[in-house]
Amino acid sequence: MKRFPKQKWLMLLVIVLLLTNIITLSIYWLKDNSHPRINPGDREKRMGQFMVNEMKFTREQEAVYWKMRDTLVSQQRVVMDSIRVAKKRFFDLLKQKESVPNDSQIAARSNDISVLQRQLDLLTFRHFEQVKDLCTPEQLQKFDTVIAEIVTRMTTWRRPPSKGDSTKVKEKD
């Protein structure tokens, strides 16, 4: 008869664990997942609005600026699509089963990416030159610091907040 109390405690423990799991899953499923997702277009608009706000453009300057900005973005998209294709071709060299890619193939595909990246950087540089020409002498005093901030924001690599470190996942296995 001593086994009966042990089974009661075991049953009670299972019920407590089951309830704890249900509560935990309920909290996870019902929590507010309405965090705004950041679209690349939103980031572009925020960067453009940052320039407008910091430089204190007049309405006329702002209208000209947004037209220049739209032109830049459309030109950049074309080049960025080409970079994406060039990088795919570059990494497709790893898929070659019959032979190992030689150094000249690797260098040629890498150079394709470099040429396109240079083109993208020149488009951006020319855009900033046009923006500088749009500024009044008073605005030019602040231009260098605003451009420095924008370049810092453009070149800062950001990890998406929802993704974890893949090396940590591998370590757990």
Side-chain angles (χ1 to χ4, degrees):
M1 286 285 158
K2 288 188 177 188
R3 289 184 80 189
F4 185 70
K6 287 182 182 178
Q7 289 177 351
K8 266 186 166 179
W9 283 105
L10 184 60
M11 184 59 85
L12 182 63
L13 181 63
V14 168
I15 291 172
V16 168
L17 288 173
L18 184 62
L19 287 174
T20 306
N21 284 339
I22 290 171
I23 292 169
T24 304
L25 287 173
S26 298
I27 291 170
Y28 177 73
W29 284 329
L30 297 176
K31 75 176 181 176
D32 184 21
N33 287 333
S34 63
H35 300 289
R37 307 236 175 190
I38 298 174
N39 296 329
D42 293 342
R43 184 170 185 253
E44 291 171 355
K45 288 177 186 171
R46 281 195 325 268
M47 296 282 273
Q49 194 60 51
F50 175 78
M51 173 69 88
V52 169
N53 294 344
E54 291 298 311
M55 297 304 297
K56 298 185 181 4
F57 285 149
T58 63
R59 290 200 186 276
E60 295 79 22
Q61 285 176 311
E62 187 175 347
V64 172
Y65 171 76
W66 285 113
K67 286 179 185 174
M68 290 188 314
R69 183 102 170 94
D70 291 342
T71 301
L72 171 71
V73 169
S74 64
Q75 292 171 336
Q76 283 179 328
R77 280 202 179 107
V78 172
V79 178
M80 290 170 78
D81 289 342
S82 298
I83 289 173
R84 198 172 295 112
V85 169
K87 284 189 176 190
K88 184 184 179 318
R89 288 186 62 229
F90 177 72
F91 287 103
D92 281 349
L93 289 173
L94 293 169
K95 295 179 182 178
Q96 291 182 358
K97 294 183 192 245
E98 63 277 353
S99 65
V100 177
N102 61 40
D103 289 344
S104 64
Q105 288 175 311
I106 295 169
R109 299 241 175 120
S110 176
N111 190 46
D112 292 344
I113 296 167
S114 300
V115 167
L116 291 167
Q117 184 63 50
R118 186 178 311 119
Q119 185 179 353
L120 183 64
D121 292 341
L122 284 172
L123 279 171
T124 306
F125 185 85
R126 298 292 179 222
H127 168 73
F128 287 141
E129 283 183 327
Q130 291 175 340
V131 172
K132 187 175 183 178
D133 291 342
L134 181 65
C135 295
T136 64
E138 297 81 30
Q139 291 167 332
L140 284 174
Q141 294 173 355
K142 191 164 186 182
F143 182 80
D144 292 336
T145 57
V146 171
I147 290 299
E149 175 66 24
I150 289 173
V151 169
T152 300
R153 289 181 182 191
M154 283 179 7
T155 58
T156 301
W157 182 78
R158 293 187 177 122
R159 175 182 293 165
S162 62
K163 302 286 183 186
D165 186 359
S166 63
T167 57
K168 290 181 182 176
V169 173
K170 289 179 184 177
E171 289 171 1
K172 290 180 182 177
D173 292 340

